[in-house]
Amino acid sequence: MVGEMSIRAGTSRAVVLYMKMGMSVEDAVLEAVEDMRALKGGLIGRVTIYAIDAAGGHKVVAVNGLPENHCWLWRAGDAAPASYPCEIIAISEDPAPRPTAHRRYEQMEL
């Protein structure tokens, strides 16, 4: 259901088009979030948007995300990637948020 919502909003295409129009990667992502907010019926669930521009600038947001949502970033010169919290943007109520895949993996007994 969530993937269909992002398809309806054309989220990935919108980010690219907003950058082609001259917006920064940050502004393009935030504008695409506003497109999702305008969906009739709202956004059901969570969507994480990862965007990077040609210069290596990046923006990651967790729409309707949870505090545990993180992204991995491997910067030039770093020996290894590092985990960073995603910016959380709430645009609708999720009556019963489920843990993310990352959290479910951490809770598994190995």
Side-chain angles (χ1 to χ4, degrees):
M1 181 73 122
V2 175
E4 293 166 358
M5 301 300 275
S6 355
I7 291 169
R8 278 182 45 211
T11 305
S12 59
R13 177 89 170 126
V15 171
V16 172
L17 288 176
Y18 289 136
M19 286 193 291
K20 285 177 88 172
M21 290 169 48
M23 289 184 178
S24 68
V25 67
E26 180 172 350
D27 289 343
V29 168
L30 296 176
E31 192 66 29
V33 169
E34 290 306 311
D35 293 346
M36 295 175 86
R37 189 185 309 271
L39 284 173
K40 186 172 183 169
L43 176 70
I44 302 166
R46 294 186 299 269
V47 173
T48 302
I49 302 172
Y50 300 84
I52 187 167
D53 63 16
H58 65 279
K59 179 73 173 173
V60 181
V61 299
V63 180
N64 289 340
L66 299 173
E68 65 194 49
N69 290 128
H70 282 68
C71 61
W72 288 90
L73 181 61
W74 198 333
R75 296 180 187 197
D78 288 350
S83 176
Y84 296 92
C86 294
E87 177 183 343
I88 297 170
I89 299 176
I91 64 172
S92 64
E93 294 286 327
D94 186 352
R98 296 181 327 223
T100 62
H102 176 78
R103 179 66 63 210
R104 289 190 305 268
Y105 177 77
E106 286 181 340
Q107 294 171 349
M108 288 176 54
E109 291 184 30
L110 302 175

